[in-house]
Amino acid sequence: RFFQAAFGGSLLNHHWLVAAATPVFKHAVADGSADDLHAVLDANGMPAVYPLYKPEGEVKAKDSAPLTAPCTEKVKSLGLACGSYAVNTIQPAFQPYAPGAPEAKRLRPQVNPTIGDALSTAGVDWAWYSGGWSNANGDVGAPGWTNEDGKRCSDPATQQGAVAPHCPNRLFQFHHQPFNYYAAFDPGTAAGRANRKAHLKDEAGLMQLVGASGDACRLKPVSFVKPIGADNEHPGYASESVGAQHALDLIRSIEASACAPDTLIILTSDEFGGQWDHVPPPGQGGAPGPHDIWGPGTRVPALLLSPLLPAPAAVDHTLYDTTSILGTIERRFGLEPLSSRDASVKDLSEAWSSARPLGTSKGS
């Protein structure tokens, strides 16, 4: 019963993972021009032509437009989210972003609070570790850097059109880096540069920490890990087996480190991949549970791994969504909720009392 936080794809659910909110494009152009990123909906609220769906009426539908549709009377009557919310893939204002992405089509910096802000304010160290970050961000010589002296993008796997020192791998997902969308990480300010250096890091750096010998755990109290595209199991450009092996290698490294005795690993997916599921999300079809206009969406896999759990192998049927991860962090470190959703969902501590050992669990 673990659901993706929001109806939508990777960008939307990454923002809900760190902020429990949907990003907003302030002062977005809404004139129908090439810079107008709003969705165009038909009479049923559908945004595009699909193999099994043809829009009703004379509609010039945009496939996967980044922003929700303008708040016309028609859209309001359908009960849909509207305005200038960023719900589909859009590039951030700051580097790293896709080579050549024009400023007019990059999301304005977000200013709402994130879990990173809350942790930093409370004096709790944390980091977002991303595969390929050093190359994409131009962190010359940092863990994961593969482009010599940074004067040119010498790594042959670099995306076409990249300009040194920003040399992103061709499978680096810019929209999977949610903190880079926030004003607190503006590289044009001293505070932003300091935040980036302290908290936005390459996954190779995490591997160095867990691989270091000694009796002390070197991991930060809170770590997010986002693998590069080749390791994220996404259909079309990645392999499930390669991605699963990558996750297993990371988990085994942590299990073999001094961090193992008191670490909780949460392994989950950003969204559900488009397949039908027989369990309705909270708020849909009368299903109970915390919900709002954004979600939760369809179920996603979730695994909790820790020697602190009461049973070696168990299933928990408590209703959770992605913001339950935020709720868990907030409870652990005494932080206030970021939004009404993470304030109302169950946090993952329920697993300590609700999970049933394998062989005794019932239901789906």
Side-chain angles (χ1 to χ4, degrees):
R1 293 289 197 271
F2 193 102
F3 297 83
Q4 64 183 63
F7 293 108
S10 294
L11 176 121
L12 187 56
N13 280 289
H14 277 78
H15 280 268
W16 275 80
L17 169 64
V18 304
T22 299
V24 180
F25 197 131
K26 290 188 176 181
H27 311 299
V29 173
D31 58 4
S33 68
D35 290 334
D36 185 349
L37 304 178
H38 293 87
V40 178
L41 307 179
D42 74 352
N44 296 320
M46 295 292 285
V49 176
Y50 297 102
L52 299 179
Y53 183 80
K54 180 179 179 181
E56 294 188 8
E58 298 295 326
V59 176
K60 294 181 180 179
K62 296 180 180 178
D63 184 15
S64 300
L67 307 183
T68 49
C71 291
T72 63
E73 290 304 316
K74 180 185 77 172
V75 173
K76 290 179 181 178
S77 70
L78 294 170
L80 302 174
C82 63
S84 296
Y85 291 98
V87 293
N88 287 317
T89 301
I90 188 171
Q91 297 299 308
F94 312 130
Q95 284 279 16
Y97 51 75
E103 182 178 1
K105 295 186 177 182
R106 303 201 307 266
L107 186 63
R108 304 289 186 269
Q110 302 298 290
V111 296
N112 54 296
T114 68
I115 191 65
D117 298 325
L119 288 167
S120 294
T121 299
V124 180
D125 201 7
W126 65 277
W128 177 277
Y129 294 95
S130 181
W133 177 259
S134 289
N135 284 332
N137 197 48
D139 295 337
V140 179
W145 176 259
T146 60
N147 287 277
E148 299 175 353
D149 59 5
K151 294 180 180 179
R152 65 185 185 92
C153 295
S154 57
D155 190 324
T158 301
Q159 286 194 26
Q160 186 175 1
V163 178
H166 298 285
C167 303
N169 181 279
R170 56 176 169 262
L171 289 181
F172 181 83
Q173 276 84 28
F174 305 93
H175 63 292
H176 289 190
Q177 319 301 323
F179 289 109
N180 191 41
Y181 286 79
Y182 287 81
F185 297 90
D186 182 349
T189 68
R193 290 191 295 273
N195 282 335
R196 294 172 80 87
K197 183 177 181 180
H199 304 299
L200 304 186
K201 298 178 178 292
D202 197 288
E203 186 184 14
L206 177 81
M207 298 305 293
Q208 288 181 1
L209 293 176
V210 296
S213 60
D215 297 329
C217 176
R218 290 171 172 79
L219 287 180
K220 295 175 182 289
V222 177
S223 299
F224 298 91
V225 184
K226 182 67 191 185
I228 199 167
D231 296 321
N232 73 5
E233 301 184 22
H234 194 291
Y237 61 79
S239 162
E240 187 280 330
S241 59
V242 170
Q245 186 63 53
H246 179 82
L248 183 60
D249 290 343
L250 175 59
I251 291 167
R252 284 176 170 166
S253 295
I254 295 172
E255 288 180 335
S257 75
C259 303
D262 56 2
T263 294
L264 169 65
I265 300 172
I266 304 167
L267 177 64
T268 188
S269 302
D270 54 0
E271 38 102 347
F272 74 114
Q275 299 301 313
W276 180 83
D277 184 61
H278 69 285
V279 177
Q284 300 298 309
H291 64 276
D292 49 46
I293 196 171
W294 301 110
T298 311
R299 289 191 302 176
V300 292
L303 293 171
L304 305 184
L305 301 147
S306 176
L308 300 172
L309 288 163
V315 177
D316 183 5
H317 294 289
T318 305
L319 193 154
Y320 303 110
D321 71 37
T322 306
T323 64
S324 295
I325 299 172
L326 293 177
T328 305
I329 297 170
E330 289 158 356
R331 176 169 178 166
R332 168 64 181 84
F333 296 104
L335 310 176
E336 292 297 318
L338 296 171
S339 76
S340 59
R341 181 80 74 78
D342 58 320
S344 56
V345 297
K346 295 286 188 180
D347 67 66
L348 298 171
S349 67
E350 293 290 320
W352 267 255
S353 59
S354 301
R356 297 181 179 182
L358 291 180
T360 65
S361 181
K362 296 180 180 180
S364 59

